Amino acid sequence: MIVENVSRPGPSESMPRLLEMRGMDKAFPGVKALDGVNLAVEAGTIHALMGENGAGKSTLMKCLFGIYKADAGEILVNGRPVSFSGPKDAMEGGVSMVHQELNQVLKRSVMENIWLGRFPKRFGFVSHKMMRDSTAAIFDELDIDVNPRALVGNLSVSQRQMVEIAKAVSYNTKILVLDEPTSSLTNEEVEHLFRIIGKLRSGGVGIVYISHRMEEILKISDEVTIMRDGRWIGTEPASGLTVDKIINMMVGRDLTHRFPPKTNAPGEELMAVRGLSGMYAPTCRDISFTLRRGEILGVAGLVGSRRTELLETIFGIARHSKGSIVKNGRPINNKNSSDAIRNGFAMLTEERRATGIFAGLDVMFNSVIANINSYKRYGFLSGHRMHGDTKWVIDSLKVKTPSQRTHIRNLSGGNQQKVIIGRWLLTKPDVLLLDEPTRGIDVGAKAEIYQLIINLAAEGKGIIVVSSEMPELLGISDRIMVMSDGRVAGMLDIADATQEEIMRLAAKYV
């Protein structure tokens, strides 16, 4: 990686640190989100910020960025105290943040998104030529291959992230916060991102890098700060850390076994998919496999292998042109998601925030919505029963929330995922389709999700897990089906599966 070859300047005795956050406190109703947290970032370094979901990382950065006002503490940039009134004030002060959930105007062009609110003018009129030329100059500097006139909504996630980084550069930023920047990127896109980060670091920018991918953190970071339960646990040079040590500092205990012991025992056939093909290209083609009761079937493949399309076709979100699904010996025709729910299917979608949660509504609504018809009596909803089922979701899945009325967007990613899983369990499904169930959640929450999946399989449910993390598939699956360009490239028993064999099959039809 180019990042590895960039010289790493050390702290200067005479120069003030680029960023210091001292004794940061922030409380919300029922939650102490930050408790005396410290963070120091040197110019021209990458400083990783790590912790479980709910540890306070995002809250700390939102205090820096002016989204939240801290209850106590001090923020210094280049040795001078600052208190930003909001994101625009922060960006004009040299502090930028690229959020995990990108906030962009999708129906406007790339260059308009970059210069929004400060369009260059000539003779009192907006100059599109100046805007285009300025955008192109920044793209050339960062080696970004995107048309400044393109609509942002037509770009890939990777390209949209590059646009946000370019926007930060246009503000002459000195402190750049990247929140889970690689969670939805391919390996090639990650490498490109790292090259851009390397250029920024060599130019003296201080980068705060938030990620749950520990191997990635150890490769590119200079220092690592770890938080737990809203508190600062420690800051250490990345060169002296290991994955096991980071996990121990994050969760306060050793996770010797990242994957729980398997207690499920696959039994008789539960479902058979035969020659299934989606109706509209690009989609899955001629897919056949079986799923047994109590089985966890992993689905591997490269980006573009149509794994998500397969789950959507089974669940009735996408229509199929041919093929059949048989469950419990009976033909199933899921024309839509309502049919799928009635037929005993549940689907956890890949994009939790976009298609999973109702962000502006509370935990109760998010828990009961898929099962809403069961609460109706004489045309009215039973609040008592909804409260009881929500309590079951919170208690049985150990959801950390101040109350049932808390907006789900205020929960950590792992707790949001638990609520969505609980929502589907209330529908009493036989088959669970889980698309990237641990994306964007921390190692502790991952272990809880893995245990939940194994427990559900042990109860006799059939579970299909799509994941881009091969260690995850190898750790929890009973068999792994590998897809390549929309087709089944191979089926592996877990005893015979290796990362090398999975990758070989994944490239079979590419």
Side-chain angles (χ1 to χ4, degrees), residues 102-121:
L102 300 171
N103 298 312
Q104 294 168 312
V105 186
L106 301 183
K107 297 297 184 181
R108 306 306 299 178
S109 69
V110 166
M111 62 186 188
E112 287 173 310
N113 271 268
I114 289 177
W115 301 101
L116 189 66
R118 54 197 178 111
F119 293 144
K121 294 181 180 180

Side-chain angles (χ1 to χ4, degrees), residues 334-385:
N334 293 331
K335 296 179 181 178
N336 50 51
S337 56
S338 296
D339 285 347
I341 293 170
R342 282 193 295 270
N343 289 325
F345 291 80
M347 181 172 172
L348 193 77
T349 59
E350 178 182 10
E351 298 294 337
R352 178 174 61 246
R353 291 184 182 272
T355 57
I357 64 171
F358 296 86
L361 296 170
D362 59 25
V363 171
M364 177 185 286
F365 181 93
N366 277 274
S367 296
V368 304
I369 183 59
N371 203 36
I372 197 71
N373 288 330
S374 70
Y375 306 112
K376 291 179 180 178
R377 188 173 184 183
Y378 307 121
F380 296 93
L381 291 173
S382 170
H384 177 73
R385 291 181 58 208

Side-chain angles (χ1 to χ4, degrees), residues 5-129:
N5 299 326
V6 177
S7 59
R8 301 186 174 189
S12 169
E13 296 294 335
S14 57
M15 295 291 290
R17 285 175 167 139
L18 180 61
L19 170 67
E20 280 193 89
M21 303 181 75
R22 302 172 178 169
M24 302 297 293
D25 283 1
K26 180 64 181 177
F28 300 100
V31 177
K32 185 70 178 286
L34 297 177
D35 188 1
V37 176
N38 303 311
L39 179 70
V41 179
E42 305 288 346
T45 64
I46 299 175
H47 194 114
L49 182 59
M50 302 191 71
E52 294 186 90
N53 288 107
K57 307 182 299 295
S58 294
T59 301
L60 182 66
M61 291 299 98
K62 287 177 180 178
C63 288
L64 167 65
F65 205 48
I67 297 173
Y68 294 155
K69 182 173 177 58
D71 300 329
E74 184 179 29
I75 302 173
L76 295 92
V77 175
N78 282 323
R80 290 183 293 184
V82 298
S83 180
F84 299 122
S85 60
K88 186 174 186 295
D89 189 26
M91 294 178 78
E92 291 173 347
V95 179
S96 296
M97 184 172 179
V98 178
H99 299 268
Q100 182 178 5
E101 304 300 326
L102 300 171
N103 298 312
Q104 294 168 312
V105 186
L106 301 183
K107 297 297 184 181
R108 306 306 299 178
S109 69
V110 166
M111 62 186 188
E112 287 173 310
N113 271 268
I114 289 177
W115 301 101
L116 189 66
R118 54 197 178 111
F119 293 144
K121 294 181 180 180
R122 185 176 177 85
F123 306 123
F125 296 94
V126 173
S127 173
H128 288 82
K129 183 180 186 304

Side-chain angles (χ1 to χ4, degrees), residues 262-456:
K262 299 292 294 297
T263 57
N264 59 305
E268 71 275 11
E269 182 181 292
L270 171 62
M271 181 179 73
V273 174
R274 297 166 182 156
L276 191 67
S277 296
M279 181 169 289
Y280 303 109
T283 188
C284 54
R285 292 175 286 165
D286 197 28
I287 302 291
S288 297
F289 66 92
T290 59
L291 177 69
R292 293 173 287 172
R293 290 190 181 279
E295 181 180 29
I296 302 171
L297 176 65
V299 183
L302 302 173
V303 172
S305 60
R306 313 303 172 200
R307 296 166 299 169
T308 293
E309 287 82 354
L310 170 62
L311 297 194
E312 290 177 343
T313 303
I314 293 173
F315 197 63
I317 298 174
R319 298 180 65 183
H320 64 275
S321 60
K322 64 177 183 177
S324 63
I325 301 172
V326 175
K327 185 168 80 72
N328 291 325
R330 182 171 64 90
I332 296 293
N333 185 17
N334 293 331
K335 296 179 181 178
N336 50 51
S337 56
S338 296
D339 285 347
I341 293 170
R342 282 193 295 270
N343 289 325
F345 291 80
M347 181 172 172
L348 193 77
T349 59
E350 178 182 10
E351 298 294 337
R352 178 174 61 246
R353 291 184 182 272
T355 57
I357 64 171
F358 296 86
L361 296 170
D362 59 25
V363 171
M364 177 185 286
F365 181 93
N366 277 274
S367 296
V368 304
I369 183 59
N371 203 36
I372 197 71
N373 288 330
S374 70
Y375 306 112
K376 291 179 180 178
R377 188 173 184 183
Y378 307 121
F380 296 93
L381 291 173
S382 170
H384 177 73
R385 291 181 58 208
M386 290 192 295
H387 172 80
D389 277 359
T390 305
K391 185 177 186 300
W392 177 85
V393 170
I394 292 171
D395 292 346
S396 61
L397 275 66
K398 300 177 182 177
V399 178
K400 294 179 182 178
T401 177
S403 77
Q404 295 188 12
R405 293 299 183 183
T406 300
H407 281 189
I408 195 170
R409 67 184 172 203
N410 294 328
L411 304 188
S412 67
N415 285 301
Q416 290 175 0
Q417 200 76 313
K418 289 181 188 178
V419 171
I420 301 172
I421 293 173
R423 171 200 301 170
W424 287 117
L425 293 183
L426 291 175
T427 68
K428 298 180 171 55
D430 299 316
V431 177
L432 284 91
L433 312 173
L434 308 181
D435 196 353
E436 302 285 2
T438 65
R439 171 169 288 174
I441 65 177
D442 62 77
V443 64
K446 280 185 177 183
E448 292 180 343
I449 297 293
Y450 297 148
Q451 186 65 68
L452 178 59
I453 291 171
I454 292 170
N455 290 347
L456 291 170

